[in-house]
Amino acid sequence: MGLILSDDQLILRDMARSFCEEKSPVERMRTLRDNQDETGFTRALWKEMAELGWVGIPFPEDLGGSDMGYGELGVVLAECGRVLAPEPFLSTVLLGGNAILLGGQESLQKELLPGVCSGDRLLALAFQEHGRFSPYHVETRAVATGSEFRVSGEKLFVLDGHVADQIVTVVRSSGEAGDREGLTLLVIDSGAPGVTVQRTTMMDGRNAARVSFNETPVDAGRLLGEVGHGADVLDPVFDRATVALCAEMFGSFEEAFERTLEYLKTREQFGVKIGSFQALRHRIAHMFGELEFARSVLLDAQTSIDEGRDDVAECASAVKARCSDVASLIGAEAVQMHGGIGMTDEEETGLFFKRLKAAEFTLGDAVYHRNRYAGLRGY
Amino acid sequence: MGSIEDFRSEAHDWIEANLPSELRVGNRKDLPKELLGAWIQAMASRGWVAPEWPTEYGGGGLDRSHAAALRAELKAFRAPVVGGFGTQMLGPTLLELGTDAQKEEFLPGICKHETKWCQGYSEPGAGSDLASLQTRAVLEGDEYVITGQKIWTTGADRADWIFCLVRTDPEAPKHEGISFILFPMDQPGVEVSPLRLIDGSEDFSQVFFNGARAKASHVIGPVNGGWTVAKRLLQHERTTDGGSEGGITGAQKETYADVVKREVGFDNGVLADPVLRQRLASQEQEAAALSLTMRRAREEARAGQTARDIGSLGKYRWANMVKGEQDLAMLALGAHGLGWEGPGFEDTQLERTRAWLSTRSDSIWGGTNEVQLNVIAKRVLHIPE
């Protein structure tokens, strides 16, 4: 099982699809972008998604969650991807929330996660320090002094960092940049002394920020996992977030594919539909294959998490390598096949193209994940 | 039917008792003939040459999951695969479209593996455009008289019978004048001339018909309605290929991945060439994705969910995957992969050369990659031409 949607998942998909079509057409994302909206998404909509139980999907009921699986989460995220909804699933639920769920003491979970599930608390995970994803390449330092840490350093590409209430931060307490050992995860209030958050405007209209820490004091009780062993928490957090991101990407490139297919059937040049040209037919048929293979690999990766299989890491890298390649292909072909109109900001193809490129580079591109996959497979 | 577990354990014991150790080496061409013959007879006696066909025709009468369990056991023993055009292609087509008399006449011979079949589809002037075929069949009394030429006929030199596409109405539009007919190869009007391919093999032949004869009762489906039958049979062919796994091709004892790892070597536990490492990961992921996609299609069909026809997609991706695996092994071997025959090369290296050459045809036969993409565009994506 797991390679097809269950009846319950089909119902959830239909519900999510009508919700997104009604409340979040692609136009909403454009308006948020053009208005340089302060939040960058719609808090009221996020609250509605929380009330529907979607925000709390991966969290247990005693923490306010709805205790469902990545199969269900994937269904919702794919629909969000279809309409380019910028709500903070990745930052708040999958990165920040999962880090606290997988690494936090019970008291910390009880303090922070119910607010996440209710849609009131926003989180971010500050991990990246370089352009290309390289999770252990951390130079931000934490020095332990008595019952607290002092954190100094700078992070970039902190998703939703400008609105997060807490920023889960990956710091180095020993070793050198690149070492898996020596990482530590700390929950830092965004208003803490020495924290500077600079919002950055991104190509895809999504939210990200540069966050710097200058001798920021963090209580030892805000530690996730063990000092120096943060990677033990970080790895499974990234695996889950990566699989969920792929579900969102899938929704986006499936929509871009379907719009392009429709365009080939309607656009006329030389007196015929351009879909009659074999040069285009072969390319879109190939894209269909990529889409179907991505669907299978995604469903399998979601199942690997939900069934607690021991190959989650392999599945996560397999699906991100594939979805990154497919996003790149379908994004580029959608623009190319739409021709000049595809280059305009007015036509929505470009919005999908830009979101897909950003998602391709988020949490590791295809080259990164093929290397990781090879390592996991013993070569 | 008993539980899958019981059946699987019964099948395991039976294979253990009946399959000699000399045959537990996969599909090799040099298997001892007598042992192989005895094994095939034993399999036929259980109906396991065609495990899912009805027992009245000599099949095994198993449902899909029991048959899958049997195949898994056979694979675990590395048993040689018994079957061919009869079991994989003609049989399923006859079960679906043949008359009772035709099923009774032909299916038992396939189940006993007594009748070897070959496929008369392509002609020198009808490759991708198969429906333009010109081989003529003219009715004389209760027999058709056949004149023309087929090409790329696998195993024609060994086959007892042929299933053949012939033109029975030259005036009709090209798809509507074709019939699907069966006739014996051992008769005066049939001449077989083997073709040598770029990999040195001679499995394919040209077949010339000059007054060959076929019984009118051996037309499958309606006269002039053979194109539908032909397409149905091709779907069985594509299902077969898309569903099979890559990795070990034919007689090869080591996988392409083994070759890459051995030839490229390791540096601190990591494959020494970063580009070949990327390509190996891609190939392994592609094989996993193909197998998942085929499984998903079966699950969708079982659950009654609208399944898109992915037969053409499976064939297209499978062909590219198999070719890619051999390409990668060749890249890793370099000059060791260029040997043709004789001393100076190991057998495994020579086999690899031939396998690389032979797999070039996987994107050609059974519908070229380009034809598969055309089919997807038209039949799956419904883009008007």
Side-chain angles (χ1 to χ4, degrees):
Chain A
M1 278 304 284
L3 290 180
I4 52 173
L5 298 185
S6 67
D7 290 345
D8 287 346
Q9 287 170 341
L10 287 170
I11 292 169
L12 179 63
R13 184 191 66 186
D14 293 346
M15 215 167 100
R17 183 164 299 180
S18 28
F19 179 91
C20 287
E21 279 171 2
E22 185 193 329
K23 310 212 167 183
S24 174
V26 175
E27 198 52 34
R28 179 178 70 97
M29 175 258 147
R30 180 198 295 280
T31 308
L32 288 166
R33 180 197 71 172
D34 291 350
N35 295 347
Q36 294 177 296
D37 183 271
E38 263 182 43
T39 309
F41 58 90
T42 314
R43 275 186 187 266
L45 201 70
W46 184 239
K47 199 64 188 151
E48 274 190 67
M49 288 175 160
E51 277 156 17
L52 287 164
W54 297 348
V55 175
I57 284 178
F59 302 107
E61 285 177 8
D62 60 352
L63 293 171
S66 37
D67 198 15
M68 289 188 276
Y70 280 75
E72 285 74 25
L73 189 57
V75 162
V76 172
L77 285 171
E79 295 309 319
C80 291
R82 274 181 170 269
V83 296
L84 300 175
E87 271 52 45
F89 273 105
L90 190 57
S91 56
T92 295
V93 175
L94 291 152
L95 292 169
N98 259 333
I100 293 166
L101 180 70
L102 299 182
Q105 301 280 345
E106 204 184 324
S107 56
L108 203 55
Q109 292 180 346
K110 286 194 165 153
E111 177 194 332
L112 299 174
L113 293 180
V116 167
C117 296
S118 65
D120 297 307
R121 184 184 302 284
L122 299 173
L123 302 174
L125 180 70
F127 54 93
Q128 201 150 332
E129 298 186 6
H130 289 265
R132 288 196 76 225
F133 180 71
S134 176
Y136 309 142
H137 206 111
V138 173
E139 289 177 281
T140 297
R141 305 294 303 195
V143 180
T145 53
S147 66
E148 64 174 32
F149 297 91
R150 292 266 163 173
V151 175
S152 295
E154 192 178 2
K155 298 286 183 181
L156 53 83
F157 203 45
V158 181
L159 303 171
D160 298 311
H162 70 305
V163 284
D165 300 299
Q166 277 81 31
I167 300 172
V168 178
T169 306
V170 185
V171 299
R172 181 160 293 290
S173 33
S174 63
E176 289 172 25
D179 293 350
R180 187 177 183 279
E181 293 305 306
L183 297 180
T184 301
L185 267 63
L186 298 171
V187 181
I188 302 178
D189 289 339
S190 53
V195 178
T196 312
V197 179
Q198 181 200 8
R199 186 180 184 183
T200 48
T201 306
M202 310 300 288
M203 172 174 85
D204 61 345
R206 290 287 173 100
N207 299 314
R210 283 178 178 263
V211 179
S212 63
F213 305 94
N214 183 13
E215 292 288 316
T216 298
V218 184
D219 188 272
R222 315 300 273 178
L223 171 71
L224 303 179
E226 289 174 42
V227 173
H229 298 290
D232 294 344
V233 177
L234 205 53
D235 288 350
V237 167
F238 280 143
D239 284 338
R240 289 163 188 228
T242 299
V243 172
L245 172 62
C246 287
E248 186 211 320
M249 291 170 81
F250 183 86
S252 298
F253 59 61
E254 186 177 37
E255 177 72 19
F257 170 82
E258 287 174 5
R259 288 176 178 217
T260 306
L261 177 60
E262 191 53 35
Y263 192 70
L264 296 192
K265 291 179 181 177
T266 48
R267 167 75 172 168
E268 288 189 12
Q269 284 290 276
F270 303 103
V272 293
K273 303 276 191 274
I274 60 170
S276 64
F277 299 131
Q278 198 175 45
L280 298 182
R281 297 172 78 84
H282 280 187
R283 276 153 57 193
I284 198 142
H286 178 75
M287 286 153 67
F288 165 74
E290 294 286 3
L291 184 72
E292 289 301 311
F293 273 45
R295 190 196 304 275
S296 312
V297 175
L298 173 63
L299 288 164
D300 184 53
Q302 290 169 351
T303 310
S304 77
I305 301 173
D306 290 339
E307 292 182 348
R309 274 168 26 197
D310 60 8
D311 62 344
V312 171
E314 237 173 74
C315 288
S317 279
V319 72
K320 187 58 165 64
R322 183 170 293 275
C323 285
S324 296
D325 281 343
V326 179
S328 180
L329 173 78
I330 292 185
E333 287 285 55
V335 172
Q336 179 67 23
M337 290 183 183
H338 278 83
I341 196 78
M343 284 299 293
T344 63
D345 183 62
E346 189 187 351
E347 219 281 331
E348 289 180 346
T349 302
L351 301 177
F352 283 90
F353 176 61
K354 289 189 274 191
R355 173 58 195 149
L356 287 170
K357 184 51 71 179
E360 179 190 340
F361 292 168
T362 305
L363 300 177
D365 59 22
V367 172
Y368 171 85
H369 280 287
R370 275 194 292 270
N371 271 333
R372 179 165 181 262
Y373 180 88
L376 291 164
R377 300 268 301 162
Y379 58 90
Chain B
M1 223 170 285
S3 80
I4 302 274
E5 292 72 30
D6 289 349
F7 173 74
R8 185 157 179 165
S9 124
E10 182 204 325
H12 178 96
D13 295 343
W14 186 88
I15 298 167
E16 179 68 57
N18 286 276
L19 181 65
S21 57
E22 295 90 329
L23 296 182
R24 299 182 186 186
V25 291
N27 269 355
R28 295 176 51 171
K29 285 181 181 166
D30 55 352
L31 294 173
K33 278 208 169 60
E34 280 179 22
L35 286 178
L36 185 62
W39 164 245
I40 291 171
Q41 268 200 339
M43 285 284 283
S45 72
R46 302 274 328 225
W48 287 354
V49 169
E52 286 174 68
W53 297 3
T55 48
E56 56 180 308
Y57 303 123
L62 302 180
D63 66 19
R64 193 184 279 260
S65 45
H66 284 74
L70 174 63
R71 272 191 285 272
E73 273 305 316
L74 287 166
K75 197 174 170 186
F77 275 98
R78 302 200 68 198
V81 175
V82 179
F85 288 100
T87 48
Q88 301 301 323
M89 293 160 73
L90 179 63
T93 310
L94 277 180
L95 279 168
E96 212 173 322
L97 303 168
T99 63
D100 287 345
Q102 288 167 343
K103 290 181 204 172
E104 277 159 30
E105 183 172 359
F106 294 110
L107 291 179
I110 296 173
C111 290
K112 284 184 229 144
H113 213 260
E114 285 173 356
T115 319
K116 288 197 185 67
W117 287 87
C118 64
Q119 178 184 26
Y121 268 39
S122 299
E123 297 180 5
S128 288
D129 182 15
L130 183 59
S132 70
L133 59 94
Q134 296 297 326
T135 293
R136 282 281 282 131
V138 178
L139 192 61
E140 280 184 13
D142 57 359
E143 283 188 336
Y144 280 97
V145 179
I146 296 155
T147 314
Q149 179 186 354
K150 294 289 174 181
I151 194 170
W152 311 125
T153 314
T154 306
D157 50 339
R158 303 183 301 275
D160 306 300
W161 280 69
I162 186 167
F163 51 89
C164 197
L165 294 179
V166 293
R167 188 157 298 284
T168 35
D169 183 354
E171 308 302 324
K174 67 178 180 179
H175 293 93
E176 291 160 31
I178 295 170
S179 299
F180 187 106
I181 196 165
L182 318 180
F183 55 91
M185 292 289 280
D186 183 17
Q187 57 167 308
V190 178
E191 191 191 325
V192 176
S193 162
L195 276 170
R196 190 174 161 91
L197 299 191
I198 57 173
D199 66 345
S201 69
E202 294 191 2
D203 291 338
F204 294 94
S205 297
Q206 299 192 77
V207 184
F208 301 91
F209 306 119
N210 188 4
R213 289 185 170 258
K215 284 188 188 168
S217 62
H218 289 165
V219 172
I220 310 300
V223 172
N224 295 327
W227 185 246
T228 311
V229 184
K231 278 196 301 185
R232 196 67 203 115
L233 183 134
L234 280 182
Q235 277 171 350
H236 290 299
E237 180 178 25
R238 283 166 198 166
T239 312
T240 314
D241 305 313
S244 59
E245 311 254 340
I248 302 183
T249 304
Q252 290 170 337
K253 296 175 193 72
E254 52 180 9
T255 66
Y256 75 97
D258 295 335
V259 175
V260 174
K261 289 174 193 169
R262 192 191 57 231
E263 296 295 323
V264 176
F266 284 79
D267 193 0
N268 285 326
V270 170
L271 203 64
D273 185 298
V275 175
L276 295 184
R277 185 181 191 227
Q278 285 274 315
R279 286 192 50 175
L280 181 54
S282 281
Q283 289 291 156
E284 290 198 343
Q285 290 176 359
E286 182 66 7
L290 174 61
S291 136
L292 284 168
T293 302
M294 289 304 171
R295 210 179 92 204
R296 180 163 65 83
R298 290 194 295 274
E299 286 184 19
E300 279 171 355
R302 220 172 312 161
Q305 292 183 7
T306 353
R308 301 203 234 198
D309 175 15
I310 59 161
S312 285
L313 176 60
K315 165 64 171 55
Y316 167 65
R317 298 298 288 233
W318 174 84
N320 285 350
M321 179 189 79
V322 170
K323 288 173 74 180
E325 289 173 353
Q326 299 296 339
D327 285 341
L328 188 53
M330 282 288 276
L331 266 178
L333 282 163
H336 295 314
L338 300 177
W340 183 251
E341 62 188 5
F345 294 96
E346 291 166 20
D347 285 351
T348 53
Q349 294 169 340
L350 295 173
E351 283 168 6
R352 188 61 64 179
T353 312
R354 306 292 178 118
W356 178 76
L357 287 163
S358 132
T359 50
R360 297 312 93 182
S361 70
D362 288 330
S363 51
I364 300 173
W365 61 260
T368 63
N369 274 9
E370 292 73 18
V371 165
Q372 308 298 355
L373 291 172
N374 284 344
V375 171
I376 294 168
K378 186 173 175 182
R379 307 259 174 238
V380 184
L381 301 178
H382 306 292
I383 313 173
E385 280 171 302

